[in-house]
Amino acid sequence: VIACPCALGLATPAAIMVAVGKGAEKGVLFKNAEALETAHNVTMAVFDKTGTITKGKPIVTDVIGWNGAKEEAITRLAAAIEQGSAHPLAVAVKERAAGMELPTCTDFRTTVGGGIAARCENTNVRLGNLSFVQPVAMIPPNAIELGEKLASVGKTIVYLTIGRNLCGIFAIADTLKEETQEAMQKLHELNIRTVILTGDNKRAAAYIAQQAGVDEVVAELMPGHKAELIKSFQQGGEIVAMVGDGINDAPAMKAATIGIAMGSGTDVALETADAALTHNRLRGLVQMIQLARATHANIRQNIAIALGLKGIFLVTTLLGITGLWLAVLADTGATVLVTANALRLLRKG
Ligand code: ADP
Ligand code: MG
């Protein structure tokens, strides 16, 4: 009879509803309220490299024929085998061969985090990183050395092999997104540790990480290993947000406390994620955490307002100042105040 718990009941949903709307306006889509509530606790932000930290639009910068192979011939062959892949590196290789006539390949087999194999004109062809080509082909030490030299300036190196022989090396470069450095700096200001987990080689990854201003980088990882590492971070007490875009990021996003997909990411990534950043913007992560923290504080204020007004009503009742109108006023007043306070979230950022 005294008062319905309207204001108290509204304290959380009012803030969350306003914040979800505010997020959408900023390009942060929450799939569920839980994601919004967890995001305020995040202590570590883990990123996939390609397409997340970098533009994900790499271009071929060097083509080196091996064993007498001509640049044009290996470019055609590499583009032919990449017909079977939609990986950003495959797109770069295909662009390099734009307008060229390509040999036909069949029996495409992609290895996530490795490369692609196919049968082209009665030969077994592979294109991918060292650990992918080395089990089937002999890669001479001077080729590896050249690859490492190119990788030390941030390029991704893939090797083209026919049968057991190396016939070409491709260096592919991707550049940082314009906002990456700023986003990392802001995350550090929010006391969040930043980490890159990538399947790319160590040198290229270290170069990009250093340019981006990321705290830590772990390279040459298989997709499953990304998830394992995230679990070990969590065992160390970290609350992990994982931002990725690819099919290969889905297990890691699932393992993370909160999985976040880039809006332009693959369907699998978007499906697995708890939240998505539209416009593909990393700044969205900073805004998401700021919004989540503001929402968390707002909910606490709302609960305080609701309970506070109830308390005042209780005291006045005990003092003998009573009446139905007072009860109604206390409750309506609290509801109005809680709603007004939740709406203040609209002014954030
Ligand atoms: P990231 O974690 O940076 O997104 P991926 O796991 O997608 O990287 O790929 C890791 C590595 O596997 C690439 O750097 C490349 O060496 C190799 N690779 C994967 N797919 C392909 C492909 N289609 N063609 C050539 N190399 C590939
Ligand atoms: Mg990727």
Side-chain angles (χ1 to χ4, degrees):
V1 160
I2 292 185
C4 79
C6 284
L8 194 57
L10 260 179
T12 303
I16 285 181
M17 247 173 62
V18 175
V20 166
K22 185 70 188 171
E25 187 187 297
K26 295 267 174 200
V28 182
L29 299 181
F30 292 100
K31 257 205 209 152
N32 47 55
E34 214 182 305
L36 178 60
E37 290 187 81
T38 341
H40 87 273
N41 277 321
V42 166
T43 58
M44 179 187 258
V46 173
F47 303 91
D48 158 59
K49 181 173 72 70
T50 316
T52 303
I53 290 286
T54 64
K55 285 184 182 141
K57 281 219 172 29
I59 51 163
V60 175
T61 56
D62 309 77
V63 179
I64 299 136
W66 213 262
N67 290 331
K70 289 271 179 301
E71 180 182 328
E72 201 191 308
I74 58 173
T75 304
R76 285 174 197 272
L77 185 57
I81 190 170
E82 292 288 19
Q83 295 298 314
S85 170
H87 196 279
L89 294 176
V91 176
V93 170
K94 285 182 272 194
E95 254 167 35
R96 176 76 171 206
M100 295 182 183
E101 207 167 295
L102 306 182
T104 32
C105 300
T106 55
D107 303 327
F108 296 99
R109 277 152 293 132
T110 49
T111 299
V112 192
I116 183 161
R119 258 198 83 79
C120 311
E121 295 172 336
N122 290 319
T123 54
N124 289 320
V125 180
R126 280 192 172 214
L127 182 66
N129 54 29
L130 265 188
S131 45
F132 178 69
V133 294
Q134 263 177 336
V136 297
M138 214 319 265
I139 311 297
N142 56 340
I144 296 176
E145 221 167 89
L146 177 63
E148 284 183 349
K149 208 175 119 212
L150 290 163
S152 68
V153 288
K155 294 176 182 180
T156 298
I157 313 305
V158 287
Y159 298 83
L160 181 70
T161 60
I162 301 181
R164 293 187 39 80
N165 300 310
L166 174 69
C167 61
I169 301 175
F170 292 77
I172 301 163
D174 194 359
T175 46
L176 284 190
K177 287 185 185 166
E178 271 103 36
E179 65 193 53
T180 297
Q181 289 170 314
E182 194 199 328
M184 295 307 135
Q185 205 180 320
K186 290 247 167 74
L187 287 170
H188 294 153
E189 282 166 21
L190 293 170
N191 273 325
I192 290 168
R193 227 170 119 193
T194 54
V195 185
I196 291 178
L197 300 186
T198 178
D200 204 352
N201 87 73
K202 287 197 173 104
R203 284 176 191 238
Y207 182 85
I208 292 290
Q210 183 249 325
Q211 274 203 316
V214 168
D215 294 328
E216 288 156 63
V217 56
V218 190
E220 294 174 20
L221 288 170
M222 287 297 165
H225 291 153
K226 292 190 186 181
E228 274 167 36
L229 266 171
I230 286 180
K231 283 180 197 150
S232 73
F233 289 139
Q234 288 168 326
Q235 274 153 17
E238 302 280 3
I239 311 279
V240 182
M242 157 79 201
V243 190
D245 68 331
I247 303 175
N248 53 345
D249 299 323
M253 278 165 46
K254 209 174 226 162
T257 322
I258 165 166
I260 303 161
M262 284 301 192
S264 66
T266 57
D267 292 347
V268 181
L270 284 166
E271 238 163 69
T272 315
D274 302 300
L277 305 177
T278 60
H279 324 309
N280 227 5
R281 299 188 50 201
L282 266 186
R283 281 216 72 200
L285 177 65
V286 177
Q287 287 165 324
M288 170 195 267
I289 290 167
Q290 284 169 334
L291 185 64
R293 288 187 184 178
T295 308
H296 185 72
N298 195 279
I299 290 172
R300 292 178 154 225
Q301 290 157 8
N302 290 344
I303 291 172
I305 292 169
L307 291 179
L309 282 181
K310 288 271 189 266
I312 291 172
F313 173 68
L314 205 70
V315 171
T316 50
T317 309
L318 290 178
L319 290 175
I321 314 165
T322 173
L324 184 61
W325 62 271
L326 201 60
V328 171
L329 202 67
D331 208 68
T332 316
T335 304
V336 170
L337 277 179
V338 162
T339 309
N341 188 52
L343 287 171
R344 284 193 321 126
L345 282 171
L346 284 176
R347 289 212 309 268
K348 290 279 172 210

